[in-house]
Amino acid sequence: MDVLIYLIPIAIGLGLVGLFGFMWTLKAGQYDDLEGAKWRILSDDDLPSPAKKD
């Protein structure tokens, strides 16, 4: 039972770290555009454009 003295504060601390990380991602806008990511995967914007003939 003595180990609970150490485990409970560690568990609370890890929970607070997880909560802080989640709040940080919310503030950074991580979840603002959930629909756009699936459309950006399908677009071909990263392909090189064909060479222009002069």
Side-chain angles (χ1 to χ4, degrees), residues 21-46:
F22 177 69
M23 295 303 228
W24 179 64
T25 58
L26 279 178
K27 188 175 180 179
Q30 182 79 27
Y31 307 107
D32 286 348
D33 187 19
L34 295 176
E35 297 291 323
K38 67 179 179 185
W39 295 111
R40 283 192 295 273
I41 291 172
L42 298 174
S43 68
D44 290 334
D45 292 341
D46 57 342

